[in-house]
Amino acid sequence: MVEAILDAVAATAPEIRRGLPGRRAYGDEENPSGERRLAADEYADELLEERLLALDAVGSYASEERESVVESEGRYHVACDPLDGSSNLKSNNAMGTIVGVYDEPLPAPGRSLVASAFVLFGPITTMVAASDGTVTEYLIEATDDGVERTVVTENLRLPENPTVYGFGGRVPDWPADFASYVEDIEQELKLRYGGAMIADVNQVLTYGGVFAYPALESAPNGKLRLQFEGNPIGHIVETAGGASSDGSRSLLDVEPTALHERVPVHVGTESLIDRLEAALA
Ligand code: AHM
Ligand code: MG
């Protein structure tokens, strides 16, 4: 049943991709987090809603782009960020789709995730999915017979020796304790930051290292949302042998209080997340 959800996400990805070129303009509306919405955000949200709610397994659909949960009948509750990093569409840089499959009604804790996945719209389209305690990377290709999902990496694990880092938010807005952690990290790793969490986290999964969108002086809970971004990414990185943190504990241990709540996100190589938590303690 969970596989059917991942299949539907993979099957929708080429269609989302094909819809991007004509949807680079902003619409009139804001999303529930008060951010301007692109026509592409709306398009991806509506496609995913339709495809996922059509499945018997899906009991509800929630997304970053809509105020409340859309209810149906089914065992699993799906939370999506239909187009993560969509502000990259203007400059034609990478973006992604994030999906969390929970077995509790939303908002739900990350511990109730049974699967999570992201699609990365880079030079090629890939999907990275965590389920049954393992992470798999797939190549997604549209063919004459439909959409093919081919395994490219089985049992994906973070490499032992980390090499890259990427941190969001304006530097003057970083709290002093986070800034001093960054000073150390900068001496050891090289900067890789593109402004779309999915693409930046995929660098960390590929090369080892650390990604963060930390708490800011102006935004103590950072920017990213727990249900749609923090939990699924924390679940994928932890399943791949890495760690996640809100600053003091695993993202998966954060008890949710609202559907659109934000959370500071730090993910990556375990030793680097341990050091982060020590720096913020
Ligand atoms: P979005 O889901 O509305 O696209 O926002 C999330 C994105 C993340 O992909 C990225 O890490 C972050 O926003 C970057 O934000 P900013 O450009 O404000 O630094
Ligand atoms: Mg996002």
Side-chain angles (χ1 to χ4, degrees):
M1 288 222 305
V2 171
E3 221 28 49
I5 297 173
L6 297 179
D7 270 343
V9 173
T12 311
E15 225 174 319
I16 293 179
R17 185 162 194 136
R18 277 197 299 275
L20 297 178
R23 292 186 173 82
R24 295 172 86 176
Y26 282 100
D28 300 327
E29 287 177 41
E30 288 186 344
N31 73 13
S33 301
E35 297 152 345
R36 288 178 76 201
R37 244 176 23 172
L38 283 164
D41 289 314
E42 255 171 74
Y43 171 70
D45 179 42
E46 280 164 17
L47 263 182
L48 287 164
E49 179 204 14
E50 182 190 311
R51 301 296 154 75
L52 290 167
L53 285 177
L55 303 175
D56 290 343
V58 176
S60 70
Y61 173 83
S63 102
E64 207 177 276
E65 303 302 335
R66 54 183 75 218
E67 199 69 49
S68 46
V69 176
V70 187
E71 308 280 352
S72 174
E73 297 282 317
R75 178 159 164 207
Y76 298 111
H77 305 275
V78 182
C80 287
D81 183 353
L83 265 187
D84 176 66
S86 54
S87 66
N88 272 2
L89 190 52
K90 191 173 177 186
S91 57
N92 188 25
N93 287 98
M95 296 179 307
T97 294
I98 313 172
V99 180
V101 182
Y102 297 82
D103 66 3
E104 279 179 34
L106 304 171
R111 294 284 169 210
S112 68
L113 280 166
V114 293
S116 48
F118 65 75
V119 172
L120 174 56
F121 300 106
I124 53 176
T125 306
T126 53
M127 180 163 109
V128 171
S131 64
D132 297 324
T134 172
V135 177
T136 311
E137 183 190 29
Y138 303 91
L139 179 66
I140 311 277
E141 287 173 301
T143 68
D144 291 344
D145 305 323
V147 175
E148 266 178 28
R149 170 154 70 108
T150 324
V151 174
V152 278
T153 315
E154 240 168 329
N155 191 22
L156 189 151
R157 309 287 295 170
L158 264 78
E160 296 237 328
N161 296 316
T163 52
V164 301
Y165 74 95
F167 300 136
R170 293 175 59 249
V171 176
D173 209 6
W174 286 344
D177 47 7
F178 183 74
S180 79
Y181 171 74
V182 177
E183 272 177 33
D184 285 350
I185 295 297
E186 284 173 341
Q187 305 303 316
E188 301 167 29
L189 306 178
K190 70 179 167 189
L191 173 62
R192 285 287 185 88
Y193 188 74
M197 179 183 68
I198 285 310
D200 293 327
V201 166
N202 205 53
Q203 302 231 31
V204 168
L205 286 170
T206 308
Y207 300 115
V210 54
F211 166 83
Y213 202 106
L216 302 177
E217 294 288 359
S218 65
N221 290 320
K223 174 182 183 189
L224 302 175
R225 281 131 294 214
L226 180 64
Q227 298 296 303
F228 311 108
E229 293 160 324
N231 276 341
I233 288 306
H235 182 240
I236 291 170
V237 174
E238 289 195 21
T239 307
S244 80
S245 178
D246 71 345
S248 63
R249 62 201 152 150
S250 163
L251 287 168
L252 307 181
D253 287 327
V254 176
E255 271 304 318
T257 54
L259 187 62
H260 292 277
E261 79 184 283
R262 298 176 193 264
V263 69
V265 169
H266 318 82
V267 293
T269 303
E270 195 169 2
S271 58
L272 298 172
I273 298 299
D274 287 348
R275 280 167 56 190
L276 169 98
E277 288 187 345
L280 300 192

